[in-house]
Amino acid sequence: MAEKNTILIVDDYEFNRLMLSDMFSDKTIIEAENGFKAIEEYEKHKDEICCVLSDIMMPVLDGFGLLDYFNKNRYVEVVPVFIISADTSTKSLTRAYDLGAEDVISKPFNINFVKKRINNTIELYKLREIVYNSDDDELGDEFV
């Protein structure tokens, strides 16, 4: 199985996509300007994508619509979706988490903090995939 090393960044503002892209120079970046384009890109590259970073407020299909699609298709079980938004109201946070967001990161954000949180979650998902896709013999006694 090839290692997933691509981040899908979804935001209608090019500057925001660029700023997030610059944080992850060690990863391949795919960008989309709305949720509909993000779905197209995810479906094309789902075997490569290790994480999705999405804004909430976007034209065509917003971040909630994207999360709803990922939730209904059970993609949130295999790829973490982070909402990165200035909207941190209780209503928005609750809705994002209910739809399967791994985490919500508020704007403006600390680059080092965000990078660490996202990289830690990517590693957790990789380990989870290894455990779920392994035979008991491969895991060793400590995992069985």
Side-chain angles (χ1 to χ4, degrees), residues 101-114:
E102 181 66 30
D103 203 353
V104 178
I105 299 169
S106 61
K107 293 179 187 174
F109 48 79
N110 177 299
I111 292 172
N112 293 325
F113 180 66
V114 171

Side-chain angles (χ1 to χ4, degrees), residues 1-119:
M1 178 184 326
E3 182 176 345
K4 295 179 176 183
N5 198 39
T6 300
I7 295 178
L8 174 58
I9 298 174
V10 191
D11 198 305
D12 54 328
Y13 289 104
E14 185 177 2
F15 177 77
N16 292 341
R17 294 192 310 266
L18 179 63
M19 191 167 49
L20 290 167
S21 295
D22 285 347
M23 268 194 251
F24 299 98
S25 59
D26 61 324
K27 306 263 189 259
T28 302
I29 303 296
I30 297 174
E31 297 181 15
E33 63 270 9
N34 61 60
F36 182 76
K37 293 285 187 186
I39 290 168
E40 288 179 343
E41 291 297 334
Y42 185 79
E43 293 295 345
K44 283 192 278 188
H45 303 282
K46 70 173 86 174
D47 293 333
E48 305 160 32
I49 294 176
C50 62
C51 180
V52 177
L53 311 178
S54 179
D55 189 18
I56 292 177
M57 301 302 293
M58 297 179 289
V60 184
L61 183 65
D62 66 14
F64 293 127
L66 177 63
L67 262 174
D68 186 48
Y69 178 84
F70 269 65
N71 189 19
K72 286 179 179 172
N73 288 282
R74 301 182 73 168
Y75 295 148
V76 293
E77 296 173 15
V78 295
V79 64
V81 179
F82 288 85
I83 294 297
I84 299 180
S85 178
D87 181 1
T88 57
S89 66
T90 300
K91 182 179 177 182
S92 289
L93 292 174
T94 301
R95 186 172 178 198
Y97 284 121
D98 286 349
L99 288 170
E102 181 66 30
D103 203 353
V104 178
I105 299 169
S106 61
K107 293 179 187 174
F109 48 79
N110 177 299
I111 292 172
N112 293 325
F113 180 66
V114 171
K115 186 174 180 179
K116 186 73 168 168
R117 283 170 68 182
I118 290 170
N119 282 331

